[in-house]
């Protein structure tokens, strides 16, 4: 005996189902954002109309993207500097003390000049392309700043 079950929903039933499904999705998204992103407790974020399977999917598929977006966008470059040798064409080694020129030219006139600093890394070292002659420096009493060009720096001590 070949039986076929035929399903049928009226337009009204479809609309009502969509209404509840949309509400459940919206509530689930709000709960996920409140608990995972904003750090609220689930009891304050949840009004009871959530989908646990959808929460799990959001945790597995979306949370890694959120975590990646929260990271310092320059962290990958800083990690590379810490774990790889500096480029051969880099004149000043990491940790070298340099003096920044008094005259940096018209396009860098707003940069700090005429002071001592410590070499942190070059653009090429951090990002694997570009110039090994553009330096990030830790300026005494001020902190990190970039990009000073090699010809604007004088070696004080290695």
């Amino acid at each position: 005996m070949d039986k076929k079950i035929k399903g049928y929903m009226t337009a009204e039933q479809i609309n009502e189902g969509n209404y509840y499904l949309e509400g459940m999705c919206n509530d689930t998204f709000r709960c996920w954002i409140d608990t995972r992103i904003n750090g609220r407790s689930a009891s304050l974020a949840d009004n009871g109309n959530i989908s646990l399977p959808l929460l799990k999917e959001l945790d597995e598929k979306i949370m890694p993207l959120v975590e990646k977006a929260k990271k310092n966008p320059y962290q990958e470059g800083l990690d590379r500097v810490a774990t790889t040798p500096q480029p051969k064409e880099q004149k000043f080694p990491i940790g070298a003390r340099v003096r920044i020129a008094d005259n940096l030219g018209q396009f860098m006139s707003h940069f700090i000049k005429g002071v001592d600093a410590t070499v942190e890394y070059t653009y090429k070292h951090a990002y694997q392309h570009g110039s090994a002659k553009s330096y990030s420096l830790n300026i005494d009493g001020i902190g990190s700043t970039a990009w000073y060009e090699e010809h604007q720096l004088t070696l004080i001590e290695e």
Side-chain angles (χ1 to χ4, degrees), residues 53-91:
L54 181 55
L55 280 177
K56 184 178 178 183
E57 283 292 311
L58 290 168
D59 283 344
E60 292 175 358
K61 304 290 195 256
I62 304 299
M63 191 52 110
L65 302 174
V66 171
E67 292 303 322
K68 185 176 180 181
K70 285 182 181 178
K71 284 185 177 178
N72 175 347
Y74 306 106
Q75 190 61 49
E76 186 177 326
L78 296 174
D79 292 344
R80 186 174 300 108
V81 168
T83 59
T84 62
Q86 66 188 38
K88 290 182 176 102
E89 63 270 30
Q90 182 173 324
K91 180 177 177 180

Side-chain angles (χ1 to χ4, degrees), residues 77-129:
L78 296 174
D79 292 344
R80 186 174 300 108
V81 168
T83 59
T84 62
Q86 66 188 38
K88 290 182 176 102
E89 63 270 30
Q90 182 173 324
K91 180 177 177 180
F92 304 116
I94 293 170
R97 300 285 295 154
V98 293
R99 175 104 180 142
I100 302 171
D102 291 323
N103 183 354
L104 300 176
Q106 136 185 14
F107 298 111
M108 289 181 67
S109 61
H110 59 288
F111 275 59
I112 296 165
K113 50 191 159 278
V115 297
D116 295 344
T118 303
V119 171
E120 293 182 319
Y121 52 89
T122 62
Y123 190 91
K124 184 172 187 175
H125 193 182
Y127 304 108
Q128 296 183 312
H129 67 278

